[in-house]
PDB file of all heavy atoms in Angstrom:
ATOM      1  N   VAL A   1     108.446  86.651  94.460  1.00  0.00           N
ATOM      2  CA  VAL A   1     109.023  86.350  95.753  1.00  0.00           C
ATOM      3  C   VAL A   1     110.217  85.369  95.541  1.00  0.00           C
ATOM      4  O   VAL A   1     110.019  84.303  94.963  1.00  0.00           O
ATOM      5  CB  VAL A   1     108.035  85.624  96.661  1.00  0.00           C
ATOM      6  CG1 VAL A   1     108.649  85.235  97.968  1.00  0.00           C
ATOM      7  CG2 VAL A   1     106.772  86.622  96.926  1.00  0.00           C
ATOM      8  N   ASP A   2     111.386  85.871  95.950  1.00  0.00           N
ATOM      9  CA  ASP A   2     112.593  85.122  95.707  1.00  0.00           C
ATOM     10  C   ASP A   2     112.779  84.671  94.239  1.00  0.00           C
ATOM     11  O   ASP A   2     113.199  83.600  93.937  1.00  0.00           O
ATOM     12  CB  ASP A   2     112.642  83.818  96.560  1.00  0.00           C
ATOM     13  CG  ASP A   2     112.681  84.138  98.057  1.00  0.00           C
ATOM     14  OD1 ASP A   2     113.186  85.190  98.372  1.00  0.00           O
ATOM     15  OD2 ASP A   2     112.188  83.444  98.872  1.00  0.00           O
ATOM     16  N   GLY A   3     112.420  85.647  93.397  1.00  0.00           N
ATOM     17  CA  GLY A   3     112.618  85.350  91.909  1.00  0.00           C
ATOM     18  C   GLY A   3     111.518  84.436  91.334  1.00  0.00           C
ATOM     19  O   GLY A   3     111.534  84.230  90.178  1.00  0.00           O
ATOM     20  N   ILE A   4     110.548  84.084  92.069  1.00  0.00           N
ATOM     21  CA  ILE A   4     109.478  83.209  91.551  1.00  0.00           C
ATOM     22  C   ILE A   4     108.167  84.068  91.452  1.00  0.00           C
ATOM     23  O   ILE A   4     107.786  84.748  92.360  1.00  0.00           O
ATOM     24  CB  ILE A   4     109.195  82.046  92.509  1.00  0.00           C
ATOM     25  CG1 ILE A   4     110.510  81.160  92.555  1.00  0.00           C
ATOM     26  CG2 ILE A   4     108.089  81.171  92.010  1.00  0.00           C
ATOM     27  CD1 ILE A   4     110.412  80.001  93.564  1.00  0.00           C
ATOM     28  N   THR A   5     107.554  83.930  90.319  1.00  0.00           N
ATOM     29  CA  THR A   5     106.247  84.673  90.018  1.00  0.00           C
ATOM     30  C   THR A   5     105.164  84.138  90.952  1.00  0.00           C
ATOM     31  O   THR A   5     104.920  82.947  91.007  1.00  0.00           O
ATOM     32  CB  THR A   5     105.820  84.574  88.604  1.00  0.00           C
ATOM     33  OG1 THR A   5     106.892  85.060  87.764  1.00  0.00           O
ATOM     34  CG2 THR A   5     104.529  85.342  88.328  1.00  0.00           C
ATOM     35  N   VAL A   6     104.433  85.005  91.708  1.00  0.00           N
ATOM     36  CA  VAL A   6     103.389  84.626  92.555  1.00  0.00           C
ATOM     37  C   VAL A   6     102.030  85.190  92.043  1.00  0.00           C
ATOM     38  O   VAL A   6     101.002  84.711  92.447  1.00  0.00           O
ATOM     39  CB  VAL A   6     103.613  85.022  94.028  1.00  0.00           C
ATOM     40  CG1 VAL A   6     104.801  84.267  94.555  1.00  0.00           C
ATOM     41  CG2 VAL A   6     103.808  86.468  94.152  1.00  0.00           C
ATOM     42  N   SER A   7     102.127  86.230  91.239  1.00  0.00           N
ATOM     43  CA  SER A   7     100.849  86.757  90.717  1.00  0.00           C
ATOM     44  C   SER A   7     101.172  87.647  89.572  1.00  0.00           C
ATOM     45  O   SER A   7     102.195  88.341  89.449  1.00  0.00           O
ATOM     46  CB  SER A   7     100.116  87.553  91.785  1.00  0.00           C
ATOM     47  OG  SER A   7      98.907  88.204  91.273  1.00  0.00           O
ATOM     48  N   GLY A   8     100.221  87.702  88.549  1.00  0.00           N
ATOM     49  CA  GLY A   8     100.301  88.529  87.489  1.00  0.00           C
ATOM     50  C   GLY A   8      99.381  89.740  87.453  1.00  0.00           C
ATOM     51  O   GLY A   8      99.236  90.474  86.600  1.00  0.00           O
ATOM     52  N   SER A   9      98.643  89.815  88.632  1.00  0.00           N
ATOM     53  CA  SER A   9      97.686  90.904  88.878  1.00  0.00           C
ATOM     54  C   SER A   9      98.254  92.045  89.665  1.00  0.00           C
ATOM     55  O   SER A   9      98.960  91.785  90.675  1.00  0.00           O
ATOM     56  CB  SER A   9      96.432  90.380  89.552  1.00  0.00           C
ATOM     57  OG  SER A   9      95.583  91.392  89.879  1.00  0.00           O
ATOM     58  N   ALA A  10      98.104  93.225  89.171  1.00  0.00           N
ATOM     59  CA  ALA A  10      98.567  94.405  89.893  1.00  0.00           C
ATOM     60  C   ALA A  10      97.973  94.441  91.334  1.00  0.00           C
ATOM     61  O   ALA A  10      98.629  94.967  92.301  1.00  0.00           O
ATOM     62  CB  ALA A  10      98.374  95.709  89.192  1.00  0.00           C
ATOM     63  N   ASN A  11      96.829  94.023  91.525  1.00  0.00           N
ATOM     64  CA  ASN A  11      96.085  93.992  92.812  1.00  0.00           C
ATOM     65  C   ASN A  11      96.207  92.555  93.306  1.00  0.00           C
ATOM     66  O   ASN A  11      95.464  91.699  92.868  1.00  0.00           O
ATOM     67  CB  ASN A  11      94.633  94.388  92.651  1.00  0.00           C
ATOM     68  CG  ASN A  11      93.909  94.583  93.996  1.00  0.00           C
ATOM     69  OD1 ASN A  11      94.521  94.276  95.005  1.00  0.00           O
ATOM     70  ND2 ASN A  11      92.753  95.106  93.944  1.00  0.00           N
ATOM     71  N   TYR A  12      97.159  92.327  94.198  1.00  0.00           N
ATOM     72  CA  TYR A  12      97.450  90.978  94.701  1.00  0.00           C
ATOM     73  C   TYR A  12      97.036  90.894  96.196  1.00  0.00           C
ATOM     74  O   TYR A  12      97.593  91.572  97.050  1.00  0.00           O
ATOM     75  CB  TYR A  12      98.942  90.746  94.543  1.00  0.00           C
ATOM     76  CG  TYR A  12      99.444  89.398  95.102  1.00  0.00           C
ATOM     77  CD1 TYR A  12      98.676  88.225  94.981  1.00  0.00           C
ATOM     78  CD2 TYR A  12     100.673  89.260  95.696  1.00  0.00           C
ATOM     79  CE1 TYR A  12      99.125  87.044  95.417  1.00  0.00           C
ATOM     80  CE2 TYR A  12     101.224  88.098  96.193  1.00  0.00           C
ATOM     81  CZ  TYR A  12     100.342  86.955  95.988  1.00  0.00           C
ATOM     82  OH  TYR A  12     100.825  85.694  96.483  1.00  0.00           O
ATOM     83  N   ASN A  13      96.129  89.910  96.483  1.00  0.00           N
ATOM     84  CA  ASN A  13      95.597  89.634  97.798  1.00  0.00           C
ATOM     85  C   ASN A  13      96.063  88.279  98.279  1.00  0.00           C
ATOM     86  O   ASN A  13      95.927  87.306  97.526  1.00  0.00           O
ATOM     87  CB  ASN A  13      94.136  89.771  97.908  1.00  0.00           C
ATOM     88  CG  ASN A  13      93.585  91.147  97.438  1.00  0.00           C
ATOM     89  OD1 ASN A  13      94.373  92.098  97.583  1.00  0.00           O
ATOM     90  ND2 ASN A  13      92.428  91.187  97.014  1.00  0.00           N
ATOM     91  N   PHE A  14      96.507  88.130  99.568  1.00  0.00           N
ATOM     92  CA  PHE A  14      96.920  86.870 100.024  1.00  0.00           C
ATOM     93  C   PHE A  14      96.832  86.912 101.665  1.00  0.00           C
ATOM     94  O   PHE A  14      96.828  88.037 102.219  1.00  0.00           O
ATOM     95  CB  PHE A  14      98.294  86.424  99.600  1.00  0.00           C
ATOM     96  CG  PHE A  14      99.418  87.355  99.996  1.00  0.00           C
ATOM     97  CD1 PHE A  14     100.101  87.224 101.227  1.00  0.00           C
ATOM     98  CD2 PHE A  14      99.695  88.517  99.220  1.00  0.00           C
ATOM     99  CE1 PHE A  14     101.110  88.046 101.583  1.00  0.00           C
ATOM    100  CE2 PHE A  14     100.745  89.360  99.637  1.00  0.00           C
ATOM    101  CZ  PHE A  14     101.444  89.138 100.760  1.00  0.00           C
ATOM    102  N   ALA A  15      96.865  85.772 102.254  1.00  0.00           N
ATOM    103  CA  ALA A  15      96.774  85.671 103.756  1.00  0.00           C
ATOM    104  C   ALA A  15      98.166  85.720 104.284  1.00  0.00           C
ATOM    105  O   ALA A  15      99.008  84.910 103.851  1.00  0.00           O
ATOM    106  CB  ALA A  15      96.007  84.497 104.192  1.00  0.00           C
ATOM    107  N   ALA A  16      98.429  86.533 105.322  1.00  0.00           N
ATOM    108  CA  ALA A  16      99.754  86.644 105.926  1.00  0.00           C
ATOM    109  C   ALA A  16     100.023  85.374 106.823  1.00  0.00           C
ATOM    110  O   ALA A  16      99.222  85.022 107.580  1.00  0.00           O
ATOM    111  CB  ALA A  16      99.851  87.903 106.769  1.00  0.00           C
ATOM    112  N   ASP A  17     101.176  84.779 106.601  1.00  0.00           N
ATOM    113  CA  ASP A  17     101.547  83.658 107.391  1.00  0.00           C
ATOM    114  C   ASP A  17     103.043  83.580 107.647  1.00  0.00           C
ATOM    115  O   ASP A  17     103.557  82.594 108.258  1.00  0.00           O
ATOM    116  CB  ASP A  17     101.083  82.285 106.749  1.00  0.00           C
ATOM    117  CG  ASP A  17     101.710  82.097 105.387  1.00  0.00           C
ATOM    118  OD1 ASP A  17     102.467  82.926 104.959  1.00  0.00           O
ATOM    119  OD2 ASP A  17     101.375  81.122 104.765  1.00  0.00           O
ATOM    120  N   ALA A  18     103.827  84.592 107.163  1.00  0.00           N
ATOM    121  CA  ALA A  18     105.215  84.627 107.413  1.00  0.00           C
ATOM    122  C   ALA A  18     105.699  86.129 106.973  1.00  0.00           C
ATOM    123  O   ALA A  18     105.045  86.729 106.180  1.00  0.00           O
ATOM    124  CB  ALA A  18     105.983  83.522 106.547  1.00  0.00           C
ATOM    125  N   ASP A  19     106.882  86.519 107.418  1.00  0.00           N
ATOM    126  CA  ASP A  19     107.546  87.612 106.980  1.00  0.00           C
ATOM    127  C   ASP A  19     107.836  87.401 105.425  1.00  0.00           C
ATOM    128  O   ASP A  19     108.199  86.312 104.974  1.00  0.00           O
ATOM    129  CB  ASP A  19     108.869  87.895 107.647  1.00  0.00           C
ATOM    130  CG  ASP A  19     108.674  88.301 109.121  1.00  0.00           C
ATOM    131  OD1 ASP A  19     107.574  88.780 109.436  1.00  0.00           O
ATOM    132  OD2 ASP A  19     109.691  88.112 109.880  1.00  0.00           O
ATOM    133  N   LEU A  20     107.552  88.496 104.657  1.00  0.00           N
ATOM    134  CA  LEU A  20     107.633  88.380 103.241  1.00  0.00           C
ATOM    135  C   LEU A  20     108.047  89.584 102.502  1.00  0.00           C
ATOM    136  O   LEU A  20     107.619  90.698 102.944  1.00  0.00           O
ATOM    137  CB  LEU A  20     106.300  87.940 102.634  1.00  0.00           C
ATOM    138  CG  LEU A  20     106.168  87.187 101.281  1.00  0.00           C
ATOM    139  CD1 LEU A  20     107.026  85.896 101.407  1.00  0.00           C
ATOM    140  CD2 LEU A  20     104.817  86.920 100.846  1.00  0.00           C
ATOM    141  N   HIS A  21     108.998  89.467 101.566  1.00  0.00           N
ATOM    142  CA  HIS A  21     109.411  90.576 100.738  1.00  0.00           C
ATOM    143  C   HIS A  21     109.065  90.251  99.337  1.00  0.00           C
ATOM    144  O   HIS A  21     109.408  89.284  98.814  1.00  0.00           O
ATOM    145  CB  HIS A  21     110.892  90.937 100.820  1.00  0.00           C
ATOM    146  CG  HIS A  21     111.300  92.097 100.035  1.00  0.00           C
ATOM    147  ND1 HIS A  21     111.052  93.365 100.331  1.00  0.00           N
ATOM    148  CD2 HIS A  21     111.923  92.086  98.766  1.00  0.00           C
ATOM    149  CE1 HIS A  21     111.537  94.130  99.374  1.00  0.00           C
ATOM    150  NE2 HIS A  21     112.004  93.422  98.462  1.00  0.00           N
ATOM    151  N   LEU A  22     108.317  91.171  98.678  1.00  0.00           N
ATOM    152  CA  LEU A  22     107.862  90.992  97.253  1.00  0.00           C
ATOM    153  C   LEU A  22     108.502  92.063  96.360  1.00  0.00           C
ATOM    154  O   LEU A  22     108.808  93.129  96.834  1.00  0.00           O
ATOM    155  CB  LEU A  22     106.317  91.066  97.180  1.00  0.00           C
ATOM    156  CG  LEU A  22     105.531  89.994  97.940  1.00  0.00           C
ATOM    157  CD1 LEU A  22     105.045  90.586  99.292  1.00  0.00           C
ATOM    158  CD2 LEU A  22     104.431  89.409  97.135  1.00  0.00           C
ATOM    159  N   VAL A  23     108.620  91.640  95.149  1.00  0.00           N
ATOM    160  CA  VAL A  23     109.153  92.611  94.173  1.00  0.00           C
ATOM    161  C   VAL A  23     108.033  92.835  93.080  1.00  0.00           C
ATOM    162  O   VAL A  23     107.469  91.875  92.455  1.00  0.00           O
ATOM    163  CB  VAL A  23     110.442  92.077  93.486  1.00  0.00           C
ATOM    164  CG1 VAL A  23     110.887  93.027  92.303  1.00  0.00           C
ATOM    165  CG2 VAL A  23     111.530  91.971  94.473  1.00  0.00           C
ATOM    166  N   ALA A  24     107.647  94.128  92.890  1.00  0.00           N
ATOM    167  CA  ALA A  24     106.707  94.433  91.781  1.00  0.00           C
ATOM    168  C   ALA A  24     107.594  94.780  90.590  1.00  0.00           C
ATOM    169  O   ALA A  24     108.299  95.799  90.592  1.00  0.00           O
ATOM    170  CB  ALA A  24     105.823  95.634  92.208  1.00  0.00           C
ATOM    171  N   ARG A  25     107.471  93.913  89.531  1.00  0.00           N
ATOM    172  CA  ARG A  25     108.329  94.106  88.370  1.00  0.00           C
ATOM    173  C   ARG A  25     107.418  94.836  87.330  1.00  0.00           C
ATOM    174  O   ARG A  25     106.334  94.428  87.007  1.00  0.00           O
ATOM    175  CB  ARG A  25     108.846  92.756  87.838  1.00  0.00           C
ATOM    176  CG  ARG A  25     109.606  92.875  86.517  1.00  0.00           C
ATOM    177  CD  ARG A  25     110.132  91.561  86.025  1.00  0.00           C
ATOM    178  NE  ARG A  25     111.280  91.180  86.927  1.00  0.00           N
ATOM    179  CZ  ARG A  25     111.861  89.936  86.872  1.00  0.00           C
ATOM    180  NH1 ARG A  25     111.423  89.047  85.996  1.00  0.00           N
ATOM    181  NH2 ARG A  25     112.839  89.606  87.720  1.00  0.00           N
ATOM    182  N   PHE A  26     108.029  95.926  86.693  1.00  0.00           N
ATOM    183  CA  PHE A  26     107.389  96.688  85.606  1.00  0.00           C
ATOM    184  C   PHE A  26     108.356  96.587  84.432  1.00  0.00           C
ATOM    185  O   PHE A  26     109.535  96.279  84.475  1.00  0.00           O
ATOM    186  CB  PHE A  26     107.273  98.091  86.064  1.00  0.00           C
ATOM    187  CG  PHE A  26     106.369  98.364  87.221  1.00  0.00           C
ATOM    188  CD1 PHE A  26     106.870  98.275  88.546  1.00  0.00           C
ATOM    189  CD2 PHE A  26     105.018  98.634  87.056  1.00  0.00           C
ATOM    190  CE1 PHE A  26     106.111  98.493  89.547  1.00  0.00           C
ATOM    191  CE2 PHE A  26     104.139  98.796  88.166  1.00  0.00           C
ATOM    192  CZ  PHE A  26     104.697  98.715  89.427  1.00  0.00           C
ATOM    193  N   SER A  27     107.775  96.862  83.319  1.00  0.00           N
ATOM    194  CA  SER A  27     108.528  97.036  81.994  1.00  0.00           C
ATOM    195  C   SER A  27     108.103  98.262  81.241  1.00  0.00           C
ATOM    196  O   SER A  27     107.018  98.720  81.486  1.00  0.00           O
ATOM    197  CB  SER A  27     108.264  95.684  81.160  1.00  0.00           C
ATOM    198  OG  SER A  27     106.989  95.597  80.820  1.00  0.00           O
ATOM    199  N   VAL A  28     108.994  98.720  80.462  1.00  0.00           N
ATOM    200  CA  VAL A  28     108.723  99.949  79.678  1.00  0.00           C
ATOM    201  C   VAL A  28     107.434  99.605  78.777  1.00  0.00           C
ATOM    202  O   VAL A  28     107.418  98.570  78.156  1.00  0.00           O
ATOM    203  CB  VAL A  28     109.873 100.340  78.835  1.00  0.00           C
ATOM    204  CG1 VAL A  28     109.521 101.503  77.941  1.00  0.00           C
ATOM    205  CG2 VAL A  28     111.084 100.685  79.630  1.00  0.00           C
ATOM    206  N   GLN A  29     106.485 100.596  78.734  1.00  0.00           N
ATOM    207  CA  GLN A  29     105.356 100.381  77.988  1.00  0.00           C
ATOM    208  C   GLN A  29     105.545 100.279  76.519  1.00  0.00           C
ATOM    209  O   GLN A  29     106.412 101.006  75.957  1.00  0.00           O
ATOM    210  CB  GLN A  29     104.372 101.588  78.275  1.00  0.00           C
ATOM    211  CG  GLN A  29     102.992 101.381  77.694  1.00  0.00           C
ATOM    212  CD  GLN A  29     102.045 102.551  78.144  1.00  0.00           C
ATOM    213  OE1 GLN A  29     102.517 103.564  78.641  1.00  0.00           O
ATOM    214  NE2 GLN A  29     100.822 102.468  77.820  1.00  0.00           N
ATOM    215  N   SER A  30     104.888  99.310  75.874  1.00  0.00           N
ATOM    216  CA  SER A  30     105.053  99.051  74.437  1.00  0.00           C
ATOM    217  C   SER A  30     103.864  99.732  73.682  1.00  0.00           C
ATOM    218  O   SER A  30     102.710  99.482  74.064  1.00  0.00           O
ATOM    219  CB  SER A  30     105.054  97.585  74.090  1.00  0.00           C
ATOM    220  OG  SER A  30     105.253  97.429  72.664  1.00  0.00           O
ATOM    221  N   LEU A  31     104.137 100.621  72.726  1.00  0.00           N
ATOM    222  CA  LEU A  31     103.149 101.319  72.041  1.00  0.00           C
ATOM    223  C   LEU A  31     103.170 101.034  70.504  1.00  0.00           C
ATOM    224  O   LEU A  31     104.283 100.729  69.974  1.00  0.00           O
ATOM    225  CB  LEU A  31     103.319 102.860  72.164  1.00  0.00           C
ATOM    226  CG  LEU A  31     103.261 103.323  73.675  1.00  0.00           C
ATOM    227  CD1 LEU A  31     103.636 104.801  73.843  1.00  0.00           C
ATOM    228  CD2 LEU A  31     101.941 103.134  74.302  1.00  0.00           C
ATOM    229  N   ASP A  32     102.057 101.104  69.841  1.00  0.00           N
ATOM    230  CA  ASP A  32     101.924 100.732  68.474  1.00  0.00           C
ATOM    231  C   ASP A  32     101.907 102.072  67.669  1.00  0.00           C
ATOM    232  O   ASP A  32     101.159 102.982  67.940  1.00  0.00           O
ATOM    233  CB  ASP A  32     100.695  99.942  68.160  1.00  0.00           C
ATOM    234  CG  ASP A  32     100.820  98.494  68.794  1.00  0.00           C
ATOM    235  OD1 ASP A  32     101.974  97.993  68.792  1.00  0.00           O
ATOM    236  OD2 ASP A  32      99.781  97.928  69.212  1.00  0.00           O
ATOM    237  N   VAL A  33     102.670 102.035  66.602  1.00  0.00           N
ATOM    238  CA  VAL A  33     102.612 103.152  65.596  1.00  0.00           C
ATOM    239  C   VAL A  33     102.074 102.473  64.265  1.00  0.00           C
ATOM    240  O   VAL A  33     102.766 101.614  63.634  1.00  0.00           O
ATOM    241  CB  VAL A  33     103.970 103.729  65.311  1.00  0.00           C
ATOM    242  CG1 VAL A  33     103.888 104.778  64.129  1.00  0.00           C
ATOM    243  CG2 VAL A  33     104.464 104.419  66.608  1.00  0.00           C
ATOM    244  N   THR A  34     100.818 102.791  63.898  1.00  0.00           N
ATOM    245  CA  THR A  34     100.236 102.223  62.764  1.00  0.00           C
ATOM    246  C   THR A  34     100.234 103.242  61.611  1.00  0.00           C
ATOM    247  O   THR A  34     100.009 104.392  61.787  1.00  0.00           O
ATOM    248  CB  THR A  34      98.666 101.919  63.074  1.00  0.00           C
ATOM    249  OG1 THR A  34      98.651 101.043  64.154  1.00  0.00           O
ATOM    250  CG2 THR A  34      98.014 101.301  61.881  1.00  0.00           C
ATOM    251  N   THR A  35     100.594 102.769  60.454  1.00  0.00           N
ATOM    252  CA  THR A  35     100.702 103.652  59.312  1.00  0.00           C
ATOM    253  C   THR A  35      99.678 103.228  58.221  1.00  0.00           C
ATOM    254  O   THR A  35      99.399 102.094  58.060  1.00  0.00           O
ATOM    255  CB  THR A  35     102.127 103.532  58.687  1.00  0.00           C
ATOM    256  OG1 THR A  35     102.406 102.175  58.307  1.00  0.00           O
ATOM    257  CG2 THR A  35     103.245 103.982  59.704  1.00  0.00           C
ATOM    258  N   ILE A  36      99.201 104.328  57.479  1.00  0.00           N
ATOM    259  CA  ILE A  36      98.263 104.103  56.462  1.00  0.00           C
ATOM    260  C   ILE A  36      98.664 104.925  55.204  1.00  0.00           C
ATOM    261  O   ILE A  36      99.093 106.128  55.387  1.00  0.00           O
ATOM    262  CB  ILE A  36      96.768 104.639  56.902  1.00  0.00           C
ATOM    263  CG1 ILE A  36      96.317 103.807  58.089  1.00  0.00           C
ATOM    264  CG2 ILE A  36      95.915 104.544  55.767  1.00  0.00           C
ATOM    265  CD1 ILE A  36      94.981 104.214  58.685  1.00  0.00           C
ATOM    266  N   VAL A  37      98.585 104.342  54.055  1.00  0.00           N
ATOM    267  CA  VAL A  37      98.816 105.034  52.847  1.00  0.00           C
ATOM    268  C   VAL A  37      97.526 105.598  52.238  1.00  0.00           C
ATOM    269  O   VAL A  37      96.585 104.859  52.114  1.00  0.00           O
ATOM    270  CB  VAL A  37      99.532 104.108  51.780  1.00  0.00           C
ATOM    271  CG1 VAL A  37      99.633 104.756  50.430  1.00  0.00           C
ATOM    272  CG2 VAL A  37     100.865 103.617  52.320  1.00  0.00           C
ATOM    273  N   ASN A  38      97.574 106.830  51.934  1.00  0.00           N
ATOM    274  CA  ASN A  38      96.321 107.484  51.348  1.00  0.00           C
ATOM    275  C   ASN A  38      96.671 108.232  50.066  1.00  0.00           C
ATOM    276  O   ASN A  38      97.493 109.195  50.110  1.00  0.00           O
ATOM    277  CB  ASN A  38      95.744 108.489  52.342  1.00  0.00           C
ATOM    278  CG  ASN A  38      94.487 109.138  51.784  1.00  0.00           C
ATOM    279  OD1 ASN A  38      93.665 108.573  51.173  1.00  0.00           O
ATOM    280  ND2 ASN A  38      94.363 110.448  52.046  1.00  0.00           N
ATOM    281  N   PRO A  39      96.017 107.851  48.899  1.00  0.00           N
ATOM    282  CA  PRO A  39      95.140 106.768  48.751  1.00  0.00           C
ATOM    283  C   PRO A  39      95.862 105.489  48.663  1.00  0.00           C
ATOM    284  O   PRO A  39      97.116 105.391  48.570  1.00  0.00           O
ATOM    285  CB  PRO A  39      94.519 107.058  47.428  1.00  0.00           C
ATOM    286  CG  PRO A  39      95.585 107.854  46.673  1.00  0.00           C
ATOM    287  CD  PRO A  39      96.256 108.678  47.706  1.00  0.00           C
ATOM    288  N   VAL A  40      95.174 104.387  48.822  1.00  0.00           N
ATOM    289  CA  VAL A  40      95.741 103.013  48.811  1.00  0.00           C
ATOM    290  C   VAL A  40      96.529 102.803  47.500  1.00  0.00           C
ATOM    291  O   VAL A  40      96.020 103.093  46.444  1.00  0.00           O
ATOM    292  CB  VAL A  40      94.653 101.971  49.017  1.00  0.00           C
ATOM    293  CG1 VAL A  40      95.235 100.581  48.881  1.00  0.00           C
ATOM    294  CG2 VAL A  40      93.943 102.129  50.395  1.00  0.00           C
ATOM    295  N   GLY A  41      97.750 102.260  47.668  1.00  0.00           N
ATOM    296  CA  GLY A  41      98.533 102.006  46.559  1.00  0.00           C
ATOM    297  C   GLY A  41      99.404 103.114  46.044  1.00  0.00           C
ATOM    298  O   GLY A  41     100.137 102.976  45.092  1.00  0.00           O
TER     299      GLY A  41
END
C-alpha cells in the first residue's frame, strides 16, 4: 500500500476503514537444477 509492505501472505484479511488500493507483487519463479555425477568422481 503506497509502496509499503502490509502483508507477505497471499491470503490477506483486514477490516475496512478507508478507501484503499493495494498492489499484489509477484516475481518470476526460481527453480533449482541439481546435477549428479555417476559414478562419483
Side-chain angles (χ1 to χ4, degrees):
V1 175
D2 294 331
I4 299 174
T5 301
V6 293
S7 177
S9 172
N11 190 351
Y12 177 37
N13 300 335
F14 61 93
D17 60 2
D19 291 339
L20 202 61
H21 179 76
L22 298 99
V23 175
R25 177 177 288 173
F26 298 85
S27 61
V28 177
Q29 188 176 9
S30 179
L31 300 171
D32 293 327
V33 175
T34 304
T35 58
I36 298 176
V37 174
N38 178 42
V40 176

